[in-house]
Amino acid sequence: MTDVQKTWTVPRLAAARTEGRKLVMLTCYDASFARVLDDNGCDLILIGDSLGMVVQGHASTLPVTVDDIVYHTTNVARGAKRALKIADFPFGSDGSPHEAHASAVRFIQAGASMVKLEGAGHKLDTIRYLVEREIPVCAHLGLTPQSVHRFGGFKVQGREDTAAVKLREDALAVADAGASLLVLEGVPAALATAITAASPIPTIGIGAGAGCNGQVLVLHDLLGLDTGHRRPKFVKDFLADGGSVAGAVRAFANAVQDGRFPAAEHSYS
Ligand code: KIV
């Protein structure tokens, strides 16, 4: 079996980083798109709570429920066999370790191999609690969309010195608590590069520059769809390059692998 055909597992993520192989991740919410992602170089599929904005048409991710994530994870798992599936905790479902565990069990039983949660602070206890119970965790720091009200909008994080120091401390803390992967969203490229160098676990960037160990985009952004939301500068329409959905996924995977995406124009300073 070639490397390309091998199923993605949690230990393989760390091995990829050691080998200098960039990780390719996309969001997905159904079986048909999941099949295309699986066949065209996508290593990790995130059943993200972004579905609240791009599938359900809400103004934020906050209305998404645990049942929504279970439903979409079940569908994605039917379509994708090779990619590692990561299910996202919706807002309010990871408020305590016990509550998070109950939802995470449902996500794993629906076909996910990992769960993602936003933030550090009290979430560190939840990360520890889940990892000790055999549930791998992906952390998510920076412009965490569930913090939209505290941030006053979807704003780049970590630009001031104190915020940058805090972000770096949080990145080390989530790894220390047992997270296996870290998504960095909406942070200056230089900061994401420094965090990646210091981090013992692989980082995946979205609006965080080219220095991360991998990249993620929301599927609808990759396909250039008008979702009714403002398009952030870090998105790129790969359908224009790829000519088909499969071609767009392949073009994204190739551009991430050989370091052409993200370019400076997709990154923050
Ligand atoms: O929900 C989501 O799609 C996400 C990605 C933007 C990382 O969290």
Side-chain angles (χ1 to χ4, degrees), residues 27 29 46 48-50 88 116 118 140 145 183 185 206 216 218:
T27 69
Y29 319 98
L46 172 65
D49 64 354
S50 52
D88 211 3
K116 177 171 85 58
E118 296 184 10
H140 183 168
V183 169
E185 177 168 358
I206 173 164
V216 57
V218 169

Side-chain angles (χ1 to χ4, degrees), residues 13-228:
L13 301 179
R17 173 176 151 125
T18 306
E19 290 158 14
R21 185 202 184 284
K22 295 266 186 184
L23 296 165
V24 178
M25 174 161 152
L26 284 168
T27 69
C28 188
Y29 319 98
D30 73 28
S32 300
F33 278 105
R35 193 181 309 281
V36 176
L37 268 53
D38 213 38
D39 288 345
N40 289 282
C42 181
D43 309 321
L44 306 162
I45 295 181
L46 172 65
I47 302 90
D49 64 354
S50 52
L51 72 87
M53 297 176 76
V54 301
V55 176
Q56 298 173 337
H58 294 295
S60 75
T61 60
L62 304 183
V64 176
T65 66
V66 169
D67 285 347
D68 291 336
I69 298 291
V70 171
Y71 171 76
H72 288 281
T73 300
T74 306
N75 294 339
V76 165
R78 287 194 195 107
K81 304 297 171 210
R82 190 191 62 88
L84 186 107
K85 272 83 66 189
I86 305 175
D88 211 3
F89 279 108
F91 178 63
S93 65
D94 53 1
S96 73
H98 284 93
E99 199 181 354
H101 183 253
S103 301
V105 168
R106 294 185 64 199
F107 299 155
I108 299 291
Q109 288 174 343
S113 300
M114 182 178 271
V115 297
K116 177 171 85 58
L117 56 74
E118 296 184 10
H122 77 90
K123 301 280 181 79
L124 297 174
D125 288 340
T126 299
I127 295 174
R128 263 183 230 105
Y129 192 90
L130 295 176
V131 171
E132 280 168 6
R133 286 159 184 78
E134 310 299 354
I135 299 177
V137 173
C138 171
H140 183 168
L141 298 173
L143 194 181
T144 43
Q146 291 174 14
S147 315
V148 60
H149 293 313
R150 178 164 61 85
F151 293 158
F154 298 108
K155 296 182 178 167
V156 176
Q157 299 297 306
R159 277 192 164 132
E160 305 77 26
D161 287 350
T162 46
V165 169
K166 173 80 168 69
L167 202 54
R168 197 185 153 108
E169 285 170 0
D170 285 350
L172 296 179
V174 295
D176 189 55
S180 304
L181 194 63
L182 169 60
V183 169
L184 290 171
E185 177 168 358
V187 302
L191 176 60
T193 301
I195 290 175
T196 299
S199 172
I201 57 174
T203 63
I204 307 279
I206 173 164
C212 296
N213 302 122
Q215 298 292 328
V216 57
L217 279 183
V218 169
L219 180 60
H220 293 54
D221 291 336
L222 170 107
L223 299 177
L225 283 172
D226 177 5
T227 57

